[in-house]
Amino acid sequence: MPRHLLSLLMISALLVGEDFAEAQQKLANYDESKIPPYTLPALLKTQAGKAVTTADEWTHMRRPEVLALFEQHVFGKTPSAATWGKVDFQVTEVKKDALGGKATRKLIHLSLPEHPAWAGMDVMLYTPNGLGKPAPCFVGPSFNGNHAVSPETDIPLSTRWMRASKDKNIVNNRATEASRGSESSRWPLEMIIDQGCAVASYYYGDVEPDQAEGWKEGLRAVLSQDGPATEWKEGDWGAIGAWAWGLSRIADYLETDADVNAKQLAVIGHSRLGKTSLWAGAQDQRFDVVISNNSGEGGAALMRRNIGETTAVITKAFPHWFTKTYVNYANQEAACPIDKHMLIALAAPRPIYIASAVEDTWADPKGEFLSGLQAEPVYALFGKKGYGVTEQPAIDSPVGDAIAYHIRTGKHDVTDYDWQQYLKFAKRHW
Ligand code: GTR
């Protein structure tokens, strides 16, 4: 082994979290020919070995099994509604002339009256003015809060814990005035509003800070009987499950807002939040369009393809994202009863869009493509078409019908190009 790789290996052994993941990016395999052969778990066969041949059998037999496998082995089980009880929505602001008069902006504080120890979450909703009907809505979590998503400077600054970032002007794990708009390139609000669509977002850290011990100050501790003394058992929900829960609570609110058509909700997320949007879409069928942007390992990318990020790396860097069981599949992917084509299939027959970026090799673009391809047999049971191609398409050439895909020029990010495709896709189905 070259000496620089050896020293990188030694350094990375001492690292945790984001730093560990970053160090591993230099060590990972990026060579297709070095992926050991693998066999995907059968999608259309029940655990008892019965072939699934109709949409009805998928919906009533196989789908519940697959969902339960993801709960047990990957993301953990979301507690039942009785656990959190009533959800309160308080509209704290309505600004009718937002974005130069194009939109109405609402801020909504969402809380659990039976669990006051949880500080709640602040949802920001933009709806188009003058549409004359309730708007379809994109629903997605943000990395840095409402003030970072919006270019408007009159939004309360989030006071919650945030991951360290010089770029985003996060100081001592808190947002600063200079953090305003730092995520706005990923949320082209005017473009979305101009297309007659609404957008609802919340800061994922409102539900739980994104760090290994973050759950102690988040919703998971509050809802657990033992609070921060909890020992997570195999199958208990991880942080991705909790963040996805937040998206479903936004859907609860949107069902009460006359400016939004709650029968037309697209769930969207990028990267770790793309993993989150896939899991939210799998569990909550009110999201009638599902979008995964560069979700990678733990998201759309097939876990059995050992290229870019691996199960071993992600479960070491970010153990809190998953249920405790998932780490058992580090370097043991073949033993896992699921792979990510099954996560895509959980969206069926609803339209799903999977997007990659050509420089985002860490996320395994080809593995993201393949999971959608391998989910096609389930869509076919519903008479729905998938990609229409079997090979990854050329760069910037979207393909697909009910399952769609593109690989865009550039790096790990959400760009206007991505949003242009999502808007076209969602509107085609709405
Ligand atoms: C990386 C991680 C990826 C992806 C990404 C992100 O460090 O390895 O799985 O989630 O973070 O969320 O930006």
Side-chain angles (χ1 to χ4, degrees):
M1 179 182 291
R3 198 178 306 161
H4 75 279
L5 275 188
L6 196 65
S7 49
L8 246 179
L9 258 181
M10 282 158 58
I11 294 166
S12 67
L14 304 171
L15 297 172
V16 289
E18 310 281 341
D19 294 336
F20 174 73
E22 208 168 293
Q24 292 299 312
Q25 293 191 22
K26 301 194 178 69
L27 296 166
N29 168 44
Y30 294 101
D31 181 348
E32 280 285 325
S33 71
K34 294 211 175 105
I35 301 176
Y38 62 86
T39 312
L40 293 179
L43 193 48
L44 291 181
K45 202 182 263 180
T46 65
Q47 294 306 96
K50 187 184 172 319
V52 174
T53 56
T54 66
D56 199 58
E57 284 173 357
W58 166 262
T59 304
H60 297 110
M61 281 164 51
R62 184 58 174 154
R63 187 181 192 281
E65 273 186 1
V66 172
L67 191 65
L69 290 173
F70 274 93
E71 290 172 344
Q72 225 179 309
H73 300 273
V74 187
F75 299 117
K77 192 168 167 58
T78 306
S80 67
T83 316
W84 68 79
K86 194 173 154 359
V87 185
D88 248 13
F89 313 115
Q90 203 193 337
V91 179
T92 56
E93 184 213 70
V94 181
K95 182 181 174 183
K96 294 205 159 150
D97 58 348
L99 300 177
K102 283 183 176 180
T104 295
R105 185 183 82 204
K106 286 181 197 152
L107 298 177
I108 306 108
H109 184 71
L110 207 148
S111 61
L112 300 177
E114 290 159 41
H115 301 278
W118 180 55
M121 55 193 262
D122 290 299
V123 180
M124 178 171 70
L125 169 67
Y126 281 93
T127 51
N129 285 339
L131 190 67
K133 60 175 186 185
C137 187
F138 289 87
V139 182
S142 74
F143 282 88
N144 288 95
N146 298 331
H147 66 270
V149 166
S150 177
E152 299 187 304
T153 53
D154 56 345
I155 293 165
L157 210 59
S158 172
T159 57
R160 302 295 187 91
W161 184 96
M162 285 187 194
R163 290 191 293 138
S165 165
K166 272 210 190 93
D167 292 355
K168 311 257 181 219
N169 293 294
I170 307 299
V171 178
N172 297 328
N173 297 110
R174 292 291 184 279
T176 62
E177 278 298 320
S179 311
R180 290 190 177 282
S182 58
E183 203 177 334
S184 60
S185 70
R186 290 180 171 177
W187 298 88
L189 299 177
E190 290 204 33
M191 181 202 290
I192 301 165
I193 291 292
D194 287 346
Q195 294 271 329
C197 297
V199 195
S201 184
Y202 87 103
Y203 170 51
Y204 78 136
D206 281 0
V207 168
E208 170 171 329
D210 185 5
Q211 47 157 314
E213 303 285 299
W215 62 270
K216 293 184 180 167
E217 281 142 48
L219 180 81
R220 284 194 293 152
V222 168
L223 293 188
S224 126
Q225 276 183 343
D226 312 319
T230 299
E231 284 243 2
W232 296 113
K233 294 186 296 300
E234 303 212 328
D236 285 344
W237 61 339
I240 287 177
W243 300 326
W245 175 94
L247 294 171
S248 287
R249 303 293 70 75
I250 297 182
D252 293 348
Y253 166 74
L254 294 176
E255 286 180 329
T256 71
D257 191 312
D259 293 333
V260 169
N261 181 351
K263 298 252 179 307
Q264 296 179 326
L265 302 180
V267 67
I268 180 166
H270 168 64
S271 204
R272 68 196 65 191
L273 299 179
K275 312 179 209 301
T276 303
S277 69
L278 285 171
W279 183 228
Q283 296 177 92
D284 190 337
Q285 304 204 42
R286 289 175 298 176
F287 296 117
D288 73 328
V289 175
V290 180
I291 302 167
S292 143
N293 192 91
N294 305 181
S295 63
E297 186 68 38
L302 291 175
M303 70 187 289
R304 279 168 177 72
R305 280 170 51 87
N306 265 323
I307 190 163
E309 190 170 21
T310 60
T311 311
V313 170
I314 204 168
T315 52
K316 178 160 191 263
F318 309 105
H320 59 293
W321 288 357
F322 304 97
T323 193
K324 212 179 154 188
T325 326
Y326 199 45
V327 69
N328 298 341
Y329 304 112
N331 304 311
Q332 301 290 336
E333 288 83 355
C336 190
I338 60 89
D339 210 318
K340 297 316 172 62
H341 60 314
M342 297 159 85
L343 182 58
I344 306 304
L346 285 172
R350 294 163 292 155
I352 185 162
Y353 202 116
I354 303 166
S356 308
V358 76
E359 288 171 39
D360 190 18
T361 51
W362 182 237
D364 183 16
K366 188 167 177 192
E368 294 176 323
F369 170 79
L370 288 174
S371 64
L373 186 70
Q374 295 296 335
E376 285 183 353
V378 174
Y379 277 76
L381 293 179
F382 293 89
K384 303 266 177 192
K385 293 203 187 78
Y387 291 152
V389 297
T390 52
E391 298 292 327
Q392 223 179 345
I395 296 167
D396 301 330
S397 311
V399 293
D401 189 354
I403 311 175
Y405 177 85
H406 73 242
I407 177 160
R408 147 181 79 64
T409 304
K411 60 183 176 62
H412 188 68
D413 199 359
V414 195
T415 67
D416 283 4
Y417 178 86
D418 295 315
W419 272 101
Q420 281 154 7
Q421 315 317 314
Y422 302 152
L423 280 159
K424 239 189 275 175
F425 177 72
K427 288 181 75 175
R428 199 165 77 218
H429 294 283
W430 282 334

